[in-house]
């Protein structure tokens, strides 16, 4: 989706700079006033209300510039040059922007979202609450629950035999954790969990919680660059025979060629009766301006039609795939089912 289809007015050049700087000065003024009226953030309720109103006003103004996508990376520096001292108090938005692990959606960020973490700084806590109330983090929590429940339901429907679950780009694997939490020790004995991620710290974090639930070598954390999964030998080794494949928060960073190649591998790896849940945020994500301007957090958004076309490019027949959404409707997913033999 290009910028012009999101907004009729697209500000550029000097007009864009003047507008962003004016929004930043208003934000700075609003927060200075709030600092005084809350007596240095002593009144937490008032801090929350004023900080979130100030930030919301700024985000709406930035959205109205019509400057979307990585094109606002440079202009966002004008905002941060003026209001950055305030903005960096918010642990979550500062983490997104400063990218301590190299990218915004790292496993610690995902964990903070799922566990609704809020920092201790009084203004920072107000910004964190604003962040956690956004539609996109709520969609992440929704999809975590949806996948956990889907795995739980699958295990209950298949009460005997091993069930192999592979999470691709597993991060902190809270979805698998949610599945384990709802299963009895006997049901958990059926599970064989394979976590694939490039980041060893993500694998260690997920394993520390999952290993006690799925002991005895039935949890395999594997460090792998997922782009290599498009090689037949790699995908055979890790994906083949998976009863369930889950992939959340990865396709938002893949271009169409990589996304189609990856989907095709998933499809080929699934045995008869296998299922896959693969997520991708849609362009109507209402948190987009906040994510981009404040956090420089850019996703590759896809509509349901675009996802349909990718499934067909991947060789998946229409009756074998359904495009659905988590309850908020902004994080879409391919639900792929291979017919039972
Ligand atoms: C946005 S997080 C999503 C984590 C988890 N699936 C969730 O929804 O909570 C994306 C994960 O993919 C991993 N990742 C990104 N690019 C990767 C690559 N090329 N190879 C392997 N893992 C990758 C990151 O390390 C990160 O843990």
């Amino acid at each position: 989706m290009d910028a012009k289809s999101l907004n009729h007015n697209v500000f550029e050049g000097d007009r864009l700079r003047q507008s962003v700087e004016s929004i930043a000065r208003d934000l700075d003024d609003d927060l200075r006033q709030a600092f005084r009226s809350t007596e240095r953030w002593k009144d937490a309720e008032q801090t929350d209300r004023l900080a979130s109103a100030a930030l919301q006003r700024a985000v709406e103004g930035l959205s109205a510039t019509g400057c979307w996508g990585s094109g606002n990376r440079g202009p966002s520096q004008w905002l941060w040059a003026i209001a950055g001292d305030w903005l960096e108090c918010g642990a979550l938005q500062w983490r997104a922007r400063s990218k301590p692990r190299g990218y915004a959606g790292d496993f610690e960020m995902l964990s903070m979202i799922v566990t609704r973490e809020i920092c201790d700084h009084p203004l920072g806590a107000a910004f964190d609450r604003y962040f956690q109330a956004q539609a996109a983090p709520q969609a992440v929590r929704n999809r975590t629950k949806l996948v956990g429940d889907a795995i739980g339901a699958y295990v209950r429907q298949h009460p005997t035999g091993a069930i192999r679950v592979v999470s691709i780009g597993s991060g902190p694997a809270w979805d698998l954790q949610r599945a384990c939490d709802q299963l009895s020790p006997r049901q958990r004995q059926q599970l064989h969990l394979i976590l694939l991620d490039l980041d060893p710290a993500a694998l260690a974090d997920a394993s520390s919680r999952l290993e006690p639930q799925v002991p005895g070598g039935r949890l395999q954390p594997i460090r792998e660059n997922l782009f290599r999964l498009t090689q037949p030998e790699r995908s055979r080794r890790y994906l083949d025979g998976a009863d369930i494949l889950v992939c959340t928060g990865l396709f938002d960073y893949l271009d169409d060629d990589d996304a189609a190649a990856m989907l095709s591998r998933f499809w080929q790896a699934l045995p008869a009766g296998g299922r896959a849940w693969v997520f991708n945020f849609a362009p109507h994500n209402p948190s987009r301006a906040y994510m981009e301007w404040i956090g420089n957090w850019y996703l590759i958004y896809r509509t349901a039609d675009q996802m349909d076309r990718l499934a067909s490019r991947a060789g998946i027949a229409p009756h074998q795939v359904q495009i659905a959404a988590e309850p908020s409707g902004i994080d879409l997913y391919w639900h792929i089912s291979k017919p039972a033999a």
Side-chain angles (χ1 to χ4, degrees), residues 187-248:
Q187 287 170 321
R188 288 201 299 272
Q189 276 176 15
Q190 290 177 259
L191 288 176
H192 289 246
L193 304 182
I194 296 172
L195 312 179
L196 299 175
D197 205 289
L198 191 58
D199 185 345
L203 295 169
D205 173 78
S207 301
S208 69
R209 279 176 286 103
L210 287 168
E211 173 70 33
Q213 307 245 46
V214 185
R218 287 180 294 109
L219 174 71
Q220 279 178 271
I222 297 168
R223 184 170 185 221
E224 181 57 279
N225 186 340
L226 302 172
F227 287 106
R228 298 208 297 191
L229 286 182
T230 51
Q231 298 168 8
E233 179 266 327
R234 296 266 163 185
S235 71
R236 260 198 303 276
R237 188 183 320 165
Y238 300 131
L239 306 182
D240 269 18
D243 300 288
I244 295 176
L245 292 173
V246 297
C247 188
T248 57

Side-chain angles (χ1 to χ4, degrees), residues 103-107 110-111 114 140 143-144 167-175 196-199 202 223-228 246-250 252-254 297:
Y103 51 98
D106 64 39
F107 79 99
L110 269 292
S111 243
V114 172
V140 166
R143 80 177 180 211
T144 303
S167 176
I168 301 117
S170 60
W174 279 103
D175 38 15
L196 299 175
D197 205 289
L198 191 58
D199 185 345
R223 184 170 185 221
E224 181 57 279
N225 186 340
L226 302 172
F227 287 106
R228 298 208 297 191
V246 297
C247 188
T248 57
L250 186 71
D252 307 295
Y253 302 93
L254 300 184
W297 193 340

